[in-house]
Amino acid sequence: MATSPKLNAKIPDGSLEDKWTKYRSTVALVNPANKRKLEIIVVGTGLAGASAAATLAELGYSVKAFCFQDSARRAHSIAAQGGINAAKNYQNDGDSTYRLFYDTIKGGDYRAREGNVYRLAQVSASIIDQCVAQGVPFAREYGGLLSNRSFGGTQVQRTFYAAGQTGQQLLLGAYSGLQRQVGLGTVKMYSRHEMLDVVVIDGKCRGIIARNLVTGEVERHFGHAVLLCTGGYGNVFYLSTNAMGSNVTAAWKAHKKGAFFGNPCFTQIHPTCIPVSGDHQSKLTLMSESLRNDGRIWVPKKKDDNRPANQISEDERDYYLERRYPAFGNLVPRDIASRAAKERCDAGYGVGTSKMAVYLDYSAAIQRYGKGEVNKLNIHDASAEKITELGKAVVKEKYGNLFDMYKQITGEDPYEVPMRIYPAVHYTMGGLWVDYNLMTTVPGLYALGEANFSDHGANRLGASALMQGLADGYFVIPYTIGAYLANEIRTNSIPTDHPAFVEAEKQVKDRISKLVSIKGKTSPEAFHKRLGKIMWDKCGMARNEAGLKEAISEIQALKKEFWSDVRVMGDIDEFNPELDKAGRVADFIELGELMCRDALNRNESCGGHFREEYQTEEGEALRDDENYMYVAAWEHQGESQWELHKEDLVYENIKIAQRSYK
């Protein structure tokens, strides 16, 4: 297998440990006076976008930041609960930069780049220092050191956390840095703006077309470089843990302007979500993976056992993750835990009214913590009630807001009865293909965080999303963008009346007008639901050749129906969420087809991509390293037309093996 000539990952030479250090010491620089002349557009202000915009402005660049929310504080990064990984080895339990690198490569089922992943592990420790300096209130041990807990796919404790709201606290840290630059005038903030196209002039990205979502006005914005920090595309499935506004539009517009899309079928299913309760739902709620630190997952040993959980005795319970994966137990990676839950439910052992759920039980943890508190407080002859009371207090301190959220949504008290959970779409490992510099195949156009494909392979380990977003924004892009902009200092700002801007704006306006003019009978929401059902049923937790071929045909038919029967209420020149939704659904439909094509092309199972035809006798993913150890980078060629380019994955520092967590 040979890497496509259209793909150059630009991985630096040298040993794995020295690549990033050497790169930073030799990369081209832009002097401070020239930085002030260079304009950078940052689209998206979550962790990756806010940290990048703040850092680049601090360096002296002129930055424009765009978000479709009313404030950068509302970015979906706020929803991350459990924590952020870093190889600081505070627990002295054997962690190291190499072990974080290895866990990430193995967790991604050997489908990620060595160079990018090792760099991520290297800068992880600096992220914690940066965030502590900003005042992020990480949990601390009694002596004042930062606390750590475990996440799936590892045997060390390296996850730093702030109760069950780590994403929110990290985002507030990045947001404070961003707002400092807004106050200084180095960042101009455009809230309630959605990017609807990128502008390419002489082969380089030179700006964007954005729509003011309040007034409906379409605007042109120039930039010497554009950074897409717009998150993932999990909402292609309709029901996911993503915020309802999360979409693929910015990345998809870039794709259609020449940016290759990498591994689109690699979707993460999170094992600990509150189960679907009915057709009325428009999103799902995640219960943090951190709950698997102390919670035990089980189902009854008897099929169709309808008794309440507390009436099922210990010897009648199947702790199936502990049984199947004794080395990692309840902390196996997300893809493995998700498939195991699906297998138990499909076999008839599911719980709850839908029978599509398993239990996440804290009773043993409450007792263990309670007894620990009794010993610590030197209480003699403590009653069972006292032990339970003390245990609940410890659990509340660690996970209280998550337990409160579960009770609010379900009406059940998880301190008294086990939570019911089931897998749901959460994160997308695929995204725009980028090189080591985080640049897409369009010069001057970058993708950061979940918007790119780069660091997680076929499955993301828990607590690594926040790590990647902040690594890209704080510590990678400030260096790598200089390699490009050092050659752009002679490029003056291009007037936005340039023909390329005019043409791009015209195409955006024509598409908007077409959406409004169809006047069909079906809402964008209805089309989105139908797309989501196709995707979940045929390109979700399990895929097969027949189902994927059917899905492609069904999505093509859905697309045709959408453009003839969608009904967009309201007008163009006003605040119109229905119009915004219609454009996003149209892009999701096209993306859905590519995802199914990518899944159909990859005749193996790896990580979150589980082809039913390719599995071991024990039901585990069966990789085909000889034929599929590559990044699939798709080039858009026209309607329903893509060309596949392959980036060969070379492993020089780790031994390739069938993944085992037993």
Side-chain angles (χ1 to χ4, degrees), residues 19 54 63 101 113 196 294 332 337 423 443 452 493 545 579 600 644:
K19 288 181 188 295
V63 178
F101 155 74
R113 267 195 213 133
L196 294 180
D294 291 309
V332 292
N452 73 36
S493 296
E545 181 179 0
L579 177 57
L600 183 62
L644 173 62

Side-chain angles (χ1 to χ4, degrees), residues 192 194 196 210-219 505-519 567-583:
R192 289 293 191 193
E194 182 168 28
L196 294 180
R211 181 170 178 267
N212 183 321
L213 298 180
V214 177
T215 67
E217 181 182 1
V218 175
E219 304 171 359
E505 181 186 300
K506 181 180 183 300
Q507 290 178 4
V508 167
K509 286 184 172 179
D510 287 349
R511 188 171 188 263
I512 290 171
S513 296
K514 184 176 180 182
L515 284 168
V516 173
S517 68
I518 294 170
K519 305 291 186 189
R567 182 172 185 84
V568 177
M569 307 293 284
D571 295 323
I572 293 173
D573 300 322
E574 64 180 9
F575 176 70
N576 189 346
E578 277 294 286
L579 177 57
D580 309 337
K581 172 85 176 179

Side-chain angles (χ1 to χ4, degrees), residues 465-603:
L466 303 181
M467 177 174 62
Q468 187 210 348
L470 291 180
D472 287 356
Y474 281 138
F475 297 107
V476 178
I477 198 67
Y479 286 100
T480 62
I481 202 168
Y484 175 75
L485 292 177
N487 296 314
E488 296 298 313
I489 55 178
R490 292 182 179 86
T491 302
N492 295 321
S493 296
I494 298 173
T496 55
D497 60 0
H498 185 284
F501 276 96
V502 175
E503 177 58 25
E505 181 186 300
K506 181 180 183 300
Q507 290 178 4
V508 167
K509 286 184 172 179
D510 287 349
R511 188 171 188 263
I512 290 171
S513 296
K514 184 176 180 182
L515 284 168
V516 173
S517 68
I518 294 170
K519 305 291 186 189
K521 299 185 182 68
T522 308
S523 70
E525 185 82 355
F527 280 109
H528 194 183
K529 270 189 177 181
R530 287 167 59 188
L531 172 67
K533 180 166 176 50
I534 295 170
M535 294 299 297
W536 179 249
D537 288 348
K538 296 173 181 176
C539 194
M541 285 180 69
R543 302 104 185 253
N544 60 58
E545 181 179 0
L548 289 166
K549 287 179 176 177
E550 289 172 5
I552 291 168
S553 296
E554 290 171 12
I555 292 169
Q556 288 175 343
L558 187 69
K559 179 179 178 180
K560 187 175 181 182
E561 186 182 343
F562 176 91
W563 284 105
S564 62
D565 192 47
V566 72
R567 182 172 185 84
V568 177
M569 307 293 284
D571 295 323
I572 293 173
D573 300 322
E574 64 180 9
F575 176 70
N576 189 346
E578 277 294 286
L579 177 57
D580 309 337
K581 172 85 176 179
R584 295 167 189 169
V585 172
D587 295 330
F588 274 138
I589 291 172
E590 294 180 0
L591 166 70
E593 181 179 350
L594 178 59
M595 290 173 68
C596 293
R597 289 184 182 277
D598 187 41
L600 183 62
N601 170 76
R602 191 171 282 276
N603 293 316

Side-chain angles (χ1 to χ4, degrees), residues 575-639:
F575 176 70
N576 189 346
E578 277 294 286
L579 177 57
D580 309 337
K581 172 85 176 179
R584 295 167 189 169
V585 172
D587 295 330
F588 274 138
I589 291 172
E590 294 180 0
L591 166 70
E593 181 179 350
L594 178 59
M595 290 173 68
C596 293
R597 289 184 182 277
D598 187 41
L600 183 62
N601 170 76
R602 191 171 282 276
N603 293 316
E604 65 164 353
S605 291
C606 57
H609 167 66
F610 192 75
R611 281 283 297 270
E612 293 173 341
E613 305 96 320
Y614 307 101
Q615 56 181 299
T616 66
E617 290 183 2
E618 296 176 318
E620 305 291 354
L622 185 61
R623 293 196 323 266
D624 180 353
D625 293 336
E626 184 177 347
N627 295 303
Y628 292 96
M629 193 177 283
Y630 63 75
V631 177
W634 296 87
E635 180 182 10
H636 187 259
Q637 301 278 25
E639 186 168 346

